[in-house]
Amino acid sequence: MNQSSPPRHAVVIGGSLAGLLAAAVLAEHATVTVIDADPLPEGPAPRRGLPQARHTHLLWSGGARAIERILPGITDDWTKAGAIRRSLPTDLVTKTAQGWIPRCGEKQFNISCSRDLLDSVVRARVTGLAAVTTLQQSRVRGLEGTAARVTGVRVDTPEEQDRLVTADLVVDASGRGSRARTWLQALGVSGIRQAEVDSGLVYATRIFEAPAGAHEMGFPIVNVQSDPRVPVPGQTATIVPIENGQWQATLSGTRGGQPTGDPDAFIPFAKSVRDPIVGQLLEGRKPLTDVAVTQGTANRRIYFEKAELPDGFFAVGDSVATFNPLYGQGMTVAAQGLLAVRTLLRAKGLAHPGIGREAQRVIAPQVATAWELATSQDILYPGATGMKPRAGTGLLNGYVNRLMTGATTDEALTAALFNVLTMSIEPTHWLRPSVVWHVARASDRGALKAPPLTAAERAVAGLDPAPGTRTGAGNTGPGAGTGAGTGTGAAPTGPASDPVGPADPVGQAR
């Protein structure tokens, strides 16, 4: 904060990940008050305002790097708290629409843990900043100001109704249930357009006790995706090893093929998707929770950046756009957008005229990229509603399908796939001549036919006898020990010589 200028104050509406990161960015320039309707827990604990936290959340390397730049050392804090840094695709067994991805050396990474743990570590760091205070169990009822300038918020606190909290800048990070459009309309702001693509997705999650020894050996994430090219409901099944020796299992289905909260139907659903491996892994495992079900997962985008917003306001995170949670984009989009806002504020300062509108515009590119990736796939499912694909989308989808087919056999295309999916590089990376050359030669010849779990992984999961144990057939079952292009029975570990340099200071390959 520049001590020679008058003291400035910012308000952040919402104390989830996007709001906390916004507060950290703004704390360089002002005192910050984070207002949240819930009490903010001290450690990893559920919050009523974040019901989706019950489901799997993967923080891609593109988002982890952005948060690391905003809060240096946060990756170490996460791992010390129990989160797991996973090399991709080394620590991933995934069947895409085009087939099984080989587990070659590290191209990118993700952070795997419960959303409660992820948020709690960030919350402890941000609320510990001298410039940040919180106003908890308090609900914002509207913006204060005019169509030209927002000057604060009206908030109901436990002690006072309709309290005025003045601010030089108000950031809405209140999430999917944001009322920002209504609040702005009450100030006389019009023309805020909204778009939606809804595949009817429902997802259901249950936590299980992991097999003994699975956590210690670094058991991989296991994921079976749907194929939007086939005109049937899209169904998926995923296991993510998280803290405390637990497996977080999430199922999903689009309209006409949705999972339910019936615990007896959970494993049968997992077995019914394009490969039964997730259901097989869960069979016999001890459930630790009930089945949590979430509906209302439509992709929704509000084009704040195209409206004549009042000065002193911008929105971020799910308040701007929500995405099908299966793509894991939300946290990364918010973090990268706020990193761009930090760059803007360091260049121009909080007092710069129109800084809120400029902040909204610098967030837009990250949102647009994720929006195109998510909606171009979701609109293909039967019964999907909303904005239709732009002209030329079919041609682009055909190219991406070919790239993803090549990613099942060609390590260069595997790298290109994860560079973009983890939001580490822009999708235009896929159109570079070096990538196009590989796409032109893409083939699924020699692709894996079964999940590439190692013999040791299958044994610890109870699918096969332990390595070295004699069996009648003398093998370890289909797909055991397939290293996919490595020529070994175990998946390779450690960073690859990839130009992105994934094994950077944000955690090294384990």
Side-chain angles (χ1 to χ4, degrees), residues 65-400:
R65 290 189 183 102
I67 298 175
E68 181 73 23
R69 289 179 64 184
I70 294 170
L71 297 170
I74 196 70
T75 308
D76 284 343
D77 292 345
W78 280 323
T79 56
K80 288 173 183 175
I84 311 168
R85 182 193 184 277
R86 311 311 301 264
S87 296
L88 299 176
T90 317
D91 296 334
L92 176 66
V93 172
T94 184
K95 185 173 187 176
T96 68
Q98 290 74 17
W100 294 103
I101 296 294
R103 293 171 67 184
C104 47
E106 177 173 306
K107 309 306 176 191
Q108 294 294 336
F109 65 92
N110 68 30
I111 304 297
S112 298
C113 62
S114 68
R115 178 64 188 269
D116 292 338
L117 185 147
L118 190 89
D119 280 14
S120 72
V121 173
V122 174
R123 185 166 56 244
R125 282 285 299 274
V126 174
T127 57
L129 297 174
V132 176
T133 58
T134 62
L135 198 55
Q136 303 178 37
Q137 301 182 72
S138 301
R139 191 172 298 276
V140 173
R141 60 164 55 188
L143 299 173
E144 185 74 8
T146 66
R149 173 86 199 185
V150 169
T151 57
V153 295
R154 292 279 179 179
V155 56
D156 294 335
T157 73
E159 297 80 23
E160 183 181 355
Q161 298 291 298
D162 199 30
R163 173 180 167 184
L164 174 62
V165 180
T166 60
D168 299 283
L169 181 65
V170 173
V171 179
D172 176 36
S174 57
R176 183 179 284 268
S178 168
R179 299 179 59 213
R181 286 180 82 206
T182 301
W183 295 336
L184 290 166
Q185 287 167 358
L187 297 182
V189 180
S190 59
I192 305 175
R193 187 166 64 88
Q194 177 174 315
E196 186 171 290
V197 172
D198 185 7
S199 65
L201 182 85
V202 170
Y203 57 127
T205 293
R206 197 173 201 188
I207 294 177
F208 293 81
E209 185 176 82
H215 183 79
E216 291 77 11
M217 78 179 308
F219 198 89
I221 299 166
V222 181
N223 164 247
V224 179
Q225 301 175 24
S226 57
D227 185 349
R229 303 169 300 175
V230 180
V232 298
Q235 296 179 319
T236 75
T238 302
I239 292 172
V240 177
I242 60 172
E243 67 272 15
N244 301 323
Q246 298 175 348
W247 280 359
Q248 192 172 41
T250 291
L251 313 176
S252 79
T254 61
R255 194 169 280 111
Q258 299 143 324
T260 70
D262 180 0
D264 293 332
F266 194 89
I267 290 176
F269 185 103
K271 287 183 173 181
S272 72
V273 302
R274 293 173 57 234
D275 189 280
I277 185 63
V278 169
Q280 292 169 349
L281 288 168
L282 294 177
E283 206 157 34
R285 304 271 75 82
K286 178 183 177 182
L288 302 177
T289 65
D290 293 331
V291 180
V293 177
T294 294
Q295 304 182 32
T297 58
N299 302 278
R300 188 213 65 203
R301 181 180 179 186
I302 301 177
Y303 291 85
F304 288 113
E305 75 278 7
K306 296 184 181 298
E308 288 297 322
L309 291 182
D311 201 3
F313 173 88
F314 72 91
V316 71
D318 284 4
S319 296
V320 176
T322 59
F323 309 99
N324 178 334
L326 293 179
Y327 303 119
Q329 297 166 312
M331 296 187 293
T332 294
V333 169
Q336 291 181 338
L338 285 163
L339 188 60
V341 170
R342 187 182 74 167
T343 300
L344 173 70
L345 288 173
R346 285 180 173 180
K348 297 189 175 182
L350 195 68
H352 182 76
I355 196 67
R357 289 188 289 269
E358 290 194 38
Q360 197 71 70
R361 286 195 288 270
V362 300
I363 287 169
Q366 288 81 15
V367 173
T369 295
W371 178 260
E372 291 296 330
L373 287 172
T375 60
S376 64
Q377 298 301 299
D378 278 12
I379 198 63
L380 300 177
Y381 289 110
T385 61
M387 189 174 70
K388 300 305 177 186
R390 296 186 302 180
T393 299
L395 182 63
L396 180 59
N397 281 347
Y399 176 83
V400 173

